[in-house]
């Protein structure tokens, strides 16, 4: 492929957006940005500051503190992917827990949080050569992306993948808890008023319920080569 492009990948939680985005970025020698990690990093900040606790969220305190939150990425050569940094600290391993996952949709529904992160995301993508995944990339962040993909899969399949991932990391969690988290986030992300999760009109829908990573990769590479 000659010209560098921007690729937007959106879809429901645990549809493997980041996994395929990472693989595409590696093949194309592009930057991969996992925007969910940015919302997760802000959630971690709010938890550390105790703005969020069980059944309590002081949104106003978080909004006031937003200018003090710096989120960046650094390429990790060993893992061949970006690590997420919160105010200079590598938080990649801290932002995937089930406790944090239960709060993140609430943080992501705050317009001030979205405004801050969308600005950073557009800045990163301005030179093209980017694969960005999230919920509003094709609709809000990069409406002019050269290729827009929307990934779907059944909630059961997605929860199974996520459950296996969490268990392999040593988290003590039940399948039902993971399934509930996936379903709750689907609902919350799709029904918030600011930039809800919707499929862009010009996105290509890929249901990967019964599709392996290689099959998806070949399919998407075919789409890219046909642009
Ligand atoms: O992709 P993920 O599961 O790591 O995303 C975490 C949360 O962040 C998810 O519940 C929705 C939100 N999110 C968002 O609102 N907009 C994005 N561009 C990316 C994620």
């Amino acid at each position: 492929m000659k010209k560098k492009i921007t690729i937007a990948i959106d879809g429901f939680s645990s549809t493997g957006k980041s996994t395929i985005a990472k693989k595409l970025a590696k093949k194309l020698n592009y930057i991969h940005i996992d925007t969910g990690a940015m919302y997760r990093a802000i959630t971690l900040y709010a938890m550390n500051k105790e703005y969020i606790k069980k059944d309590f969220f002081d949104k106003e305190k978080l909004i006031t503190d937003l200018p003090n939150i710096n989120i960046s990425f650094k390429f990790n050569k060993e893992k061949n992917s970006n690590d997420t940094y919160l105010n200079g600290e590598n938080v990649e391993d801290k932002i995937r827990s089930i406790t944090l996952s239960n709060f993140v949709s609430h943080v992501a529904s705050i317009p001030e949080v979205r405004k801050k992160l969308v600005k950073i995301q557009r800045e990163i993508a301005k030179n093209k050569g980017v694969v960005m995944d999230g919920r509003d990339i094709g609709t809000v962040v990069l409406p002019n992306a050269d290729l827009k993909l929307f990934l779907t899969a059944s909630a059961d399949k997605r929860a199974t993948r996520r459950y296996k991932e969490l268990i392999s990391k040593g988290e003590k969690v039940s399948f039902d808890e993971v399934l509930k988290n996936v379903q709750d986030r689907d609902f919350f992300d799709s029904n918030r008023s600011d930039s809800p999760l919707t499929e862009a009109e010009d996105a290509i829908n890929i249901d990967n319920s019964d599709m392996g990573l290689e099959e998806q990769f070949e399919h998407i590479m075919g789409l890219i080569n046909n642009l």
Side-chain angles (χ1 to χ4, degrees):
M1 250 233 330
K2 332 95 224 167
K3 207 170 62 128
K4 278 195 188 279
I5 61 167
T6 31
I7 302 173
I9 305 182
D10 291 302
F12 293 100
S13 58
S14 304
T15 40
K17 299 182 295 291
S18 287
T19 306
I20 193 72
K22 224 176 273 177
K23 198 167 163 68
L24 291 167
K26 186 173 176 212
K27 173 76 180 173
L28 299 165
N29 206 12
Y30 282 11
I31 302 168
H32 164 230
I33 299 296
D34 168 2
T35 62
M38 302 171 88
Y39 289 95
R40 287 173 179 272
I42 294 199
T43 307
L44 179 64
Y45 183 91
M47 288 167 72
N48 289 345
K49 289 272 187 174
E50 302 195 335
Y51 300 154
I52 293 185
K53 283 185 241 166
K54 198 174 180 287
D55 304 324
F56 168 84
F57 182 12
D58 192 335
K59 285 189 187 178
E60 287 313 313
K61 278 218 173 114
L62 176 62
I63 292 168
T64 311
D65 215 358
L66 280 177
N68 301 317
I69 305 179
N70 179 46
I71 291 160
S72 57
F73 294 100
K74 216 182 270 177
F75 193 71
N76 181 329
K77 273 194 206 147
E78 273 165 37
K79 284 162 59 189
N80 221 309
S81 60
N82 275 329
D83 282 341
T84 313
Y85 283 73
L86 169 64
N87 289 343
E89 183 199 349
N90 184 339
V91 291
E92 195 54 40
D93 291 334
K94 291 186 182 166
I95 58 174
R96 314 278 167 191
S97 73
I98 189 85
T99 313
L100 192 148
S101 300
N102 284 330
F103 294 134
V104 64
S105 287
H106 297 275
V107 171
S109 70
I110 303 173
E112 288 84 350
V113 169
R114 305 202 68 82
K115 196 169 165 222
K116 176 184 174 92
L117 294 186
V118 168
K119 191 166 171 236
I120 302 170
Q121 291 154 9
R122 287 187 178 146
E123 186 62 31
I124 296 171
K126 74 171 187 235
N127 295 324
K128 300 216 166 192
V130 172
V131 187
M132 194 172 278
D133 74 81
R135 303 291 190 289
D136 60 341
I137 310 306
T139 49
V140 175
V141 182
L142 307 172
N144 297 320
D146 301 283
L147 179 66
K148 297 182 187 178
L149 305 171
F150 192 88
L151 303 191
T152 59
S154 70
D156 213 66
K157 282 264 158 86
R158 291 185 282 131
T160 303
R161 290 175 193 157
R162 187 100 185 97
Y163 174 69
K164 283 186 185 159
E165 194 186 319
L166 288 168
I167 292 291
S168 75
K169 285 183 184 163
E171 278 234 22
K172 287 191 174 45
V173 69
S174 69
F175 175 77
D176 287 349
E177 197 181 346
V178 177
L179 180 63
K180 183 173 181 332
N181 176 258
V182 162
Q183 289 169 330
D184 285 353
R185 284 201 291 145
D186 286 354
F187 180 82
F188 213 88
D189 295 340
S190 308
N191 289 286
R192 65 174 176 234
S193 52
D194 187 355
S195 323
L197 167 65
T198 47
E199 185 171 348
E201 267 177 27
D202 50 350
I204 295 166
N205 188 300
I206 299 175
D207 183 335
N208 64 22
S209 299
D210 298 305
M211 232 182 181
L213 183 61
E214 278 312 315
E215 197 184 337
Q216 280 179 80
F217 177 70
E218 293 304 328
H219 175 56
I220 298 168
M221 282 310 295
L223 296 173
I224 294 169
N225 290 326
N226 279 333
L227 283 176

